[in-house]
Amino acid sequence: MNCQFGNSYTSIQCEDDLTIYFDEYMGYLFVAIGNESSAHMKRYINTCVTIIRYLCGPDVYQLKAKEEKSKLASRLIDSWIHLNSNDQAVFVEAVEQLVVNADLSSATIKALRESVDKLAPQIECNKIHALVLIQNRFLSLYSSQNAKELSSADILFSILLCQSTNLNQSDIQKTSNQITSHQILLAGPDRYPKCLPHVVHIIPLSESVSLLYLLEIGNPAVAASLYENFCHLHTMQLVQIQRDKETLRPAFENLDLATRRLNDSLKKNKNTAIENSHKQLMKKWEVIRKKYQEYLKNTSDEALLRAETLALGFLENLKELLGLTAVDGSVLKYSSKYMKEAAKIVKEKLSVFEEFLKAKSIKNFSLGSYPFEQ
């Protein structure tokens, strides 16, 4: 239905009120089966896709290739199910912000600023967000001047990360030496593609308080153009099945433009592995581009078939470049060494408010209206 007519099914109703729901992302079909309400199932499957986008970006195959990612995805989905049933803020897809007095608000921002100012030169990163959560509630956020704005979806995902690692649960006793770290791809503000590479460190400050540092890594221009290439290549793979030149032409032009942008963004890169992968990608694209142009000019099925075959190798190069530019294990390992000292600043500044924060983690009356954007 989707390939031939551009009209895919979103659900199938079965006997005994059982319904099968579908969603698609980067060529992968997501299926959810249940007898809950239609609205709930749609939110569930949309949330699953969103979580995977945060963990894998446009390369969904990582769920199969990397077991730790698939396990984390499962924990995050389980966390969402729990919070959706027990937390009103998550249920209405909003970020619940604690209402505190001016003294606590000022002290928190000052502590976060001091910790970020100390951390930035140590880890050679000037794009940092520092976030304090009380249980599953948002207390305060400080972002360095060069850091791109966090979206409400980014904050909600951060809450899910904390929940999934059990850092905010009541059975944790003053475990400030425990740090949980992940590499993720944030959504960022609306004007950016949903593929901004970050390292996140989660540090429990007390039984109910968690501190998160989000470090922007890589090149945002490379990340943006890579994401565009994945999207437009996926569109090409869908429309070329129809063998309709008028549909294929704009899809090809968009992919060609995205590839040129990626080429421009990678030209100044000095990393040998990235340079080699970049050269291979562009060599493959030159051949593919000529084959698509040949088809658009002469309607040569042989040329289109050759382009389709070569596109598989092109996709593998895109995945390789994504791994080289969006994933940096050295940054994750190196930066984690400095997290404890930075966190001490925040912990000491907030220690005088500890009992108050414990009480606020249980009872809070204000619900912020920050919509969760898929």
Side-chain angles (χ1 to χ4, degrees):
M1 287 287 288
N2 188 41
C3 292
Q4 295 297 321
F5 307 109
N7 181 23
S8 59
Y9 288 107
T10 58
S11 64
I12 298 176
Q13 185 72 45
C14 305
E15 294 182 355
D16 301 322
D17 294 326
L18 192 68
T19 306
I20 305 175
Y21 292 86
F22 305 98
D23 201 355
E24 187 271 342
Y25 174 63
M26 293 295 171
Y28 288 82
L29 182 66
F30 293 80
V31 182
I33 303 173
N35 53 15
E36 289 87 351
S37 68
S38 175
H40 172 80
M41 293 301 295
K42 287 179 181 178
R43 288 182 61 224
Y44 170 75
I45 200 168
N46 287 339
T47 300
C48 290
V49 173
T50 300
I51 286 172
I52 290 166
R53 192 189 72 222
Y54 270 95
L55 296 182
C56 304
D59 183 13
V60 182
Y61 184 77
Q62 291 183 54
L63 289 178
K64 183 176 182 179
K66 299 180 179 180
E67 185 179 6
E68 67 275 12
K69 280 194 181 289
S70 62
K71 288 182 176 179
L72 179 56
S74 295
R75 293 199 302 270
L76 286 166
I77 292 169
D78 289 342
S79 297
W80 179 83
I81 292 172
H82 172 75
L83 290 177
N84 188 61
S85 301
N86 297 278
D87 190 298
Q88 183 69 19
V90 175
F91 180 76
V92 299
E93 298 183 343
V95 175
E96 184 177 6
Q97 183 167 8
L98 291 172
V99 176
V100 297
N101 59 45
D103 290 339
L104 176 54
S105 179
S106 177
T108 306
I109 289 293
K110 183 178 180 182
L112 293 177
R113 182 187 297 113
E114 287 183 15
S115 71
V116 168
D117 288 345
K118 180 178 182 180
L119 190 61
Q122 292 177 327
I123 63 176
E124 299 180 349
C125 176
N126 62 355
K127 299 177 181 180
I128 305 174
H129 301 281
L131 174 66
V132 175
L133 297 177
I134 311 299
Q135 291 286 13
N136 301 316
R137 299 170 177 87
F138 171 75
L139 174 63
S140 190
L141 168 68
Y142 174 77
S143 301
S144 56
Q145 186 174 1
N146 296 322
K148 291 178 179 60
E149 180 185 353
L150 293 179
S151 67
S152 55
D154 293 333
I155 297 175
L156 274 175
F157 181 77
S158 300
I159 291 172
L160 284 181
L161 273 178
C162 283
Q163 177 74 15
S164 69
T165 51
N166 294 321
L167 295 182
N168 287 330
Q169 303 305 303
S170 59
D171 59 349
I172 291 181
Q173 303 297 324
K174 308 296 181 187
T175 55
S176 58
N177 61 338
Q178 180 182 352
I179 299 175
T180 303
S181 305
H182 302 286
Q183 299 207 24
I184 57 176
L185 296 115
L186 297 182
D190 290 340
R191 62 184 178 276
Y192 288 93
K194 305 180 189 304
C195 188
L196 292 173
H198 281 73
V199 164
V200 56
H201 298 288
I202 306 172
I203 308 109
L205 300 182
S206 69
E207 181 178 335
S208 58
V209 183
S210 287
L211 171 64
L212 286 79
Y213 289 105
L214 297 157
L215 320 177
E216 185 180 326
I217 62 174
N219 185 317
V222 172
S225 53
L226 263 175
Y227 189 82
E228 288 178 344
N229 268 266
F230 273 96
C231 291
H232 293 308
L233 180 60
H234 172 53
T235 301
M236 284 288 294
Q237 291 171 334
L238 289 178
V239 301
Q240 64 194 11
I241 296 174
Q242 302 175 32
R243 297 295 195 268
D244 182 357
K245 288 200 299 183
E246 297 309 311
T247 304
L248 185 65
R249 191 183 304 277
F252 164 72
E253 291 173 351
N254 287 334
L255 178 57
D256 187 35
L257 178 59
T259 306
R260 281 188 273 126
R261 285 175 178 166
L262 178 60
N263 183 43
D264 291 340
S265 66
L266 287 169
K267 280 182 178 178
K268 296 182 180 180
N269 192 282
K270 301 302 180 182
N271 181 284
T272 303
I274 295 176
E275 281 183 328
N276 291 336
S277 184
H278 174 207
K279 289 177 182 177
Q280 292 176 13
L281 182 84
M282 296 313 299
K283 285 181 181 178
K284 290 178 182 177
W285 175 244
E286 281 304 308
V287 179
I288 294 171
R289 186 170 64 86
K290 290 178 181 177
K291 292 299 178 182
Y292 276 129
Q293 289 175 332
E294 183 180 341
Y295 171 77
L296 291 171
K297 183 178 180 180
N298 303 321
T299 319
S300 169
D301 288 338
E302 181 182 350
L304 185 59
L305 181 61
R306 181 62 176 155
E308 290 175 348
T309 304
L310 291 171
L312 297 176
F314 183 77
L315 176 61
E316 290 305 312
N317 267 113
L318 287 177
K319 291 180 180 180
E320 182 180 56
L321 274 172
L322 180 68
L324 290 170
T325 59
V327 178
D328 195 331
S330 61
V331 171
L332 186 145
K333 185 176 181 180
Y334 175 75
S335 60
S336 63
K337 298 188 298 184
Y338 298 95
M339 292 300 124
K340 291 180 183 178
E341 290 301 316
K344 280 183 181 179
I345 296 174
V346 182
K347 184 175 177 63
E348 290 173 0
K349 295 286 185 180
L350 297 184
S351 59
V352 67
F353 302 101
E354 186 171 341
E355 293 302 318
F356 174 75
L357 292 176
K358 284 183 179 179
K360 291 294 287 185
S361 70
I362 300 171
K363 191 175 184 179
N364 184 55
F365 294 99
S366 177
L367 189 65
S369 56
Y370 298 87
F372 178 43
E373 300 173 358
Q374 294 288 348

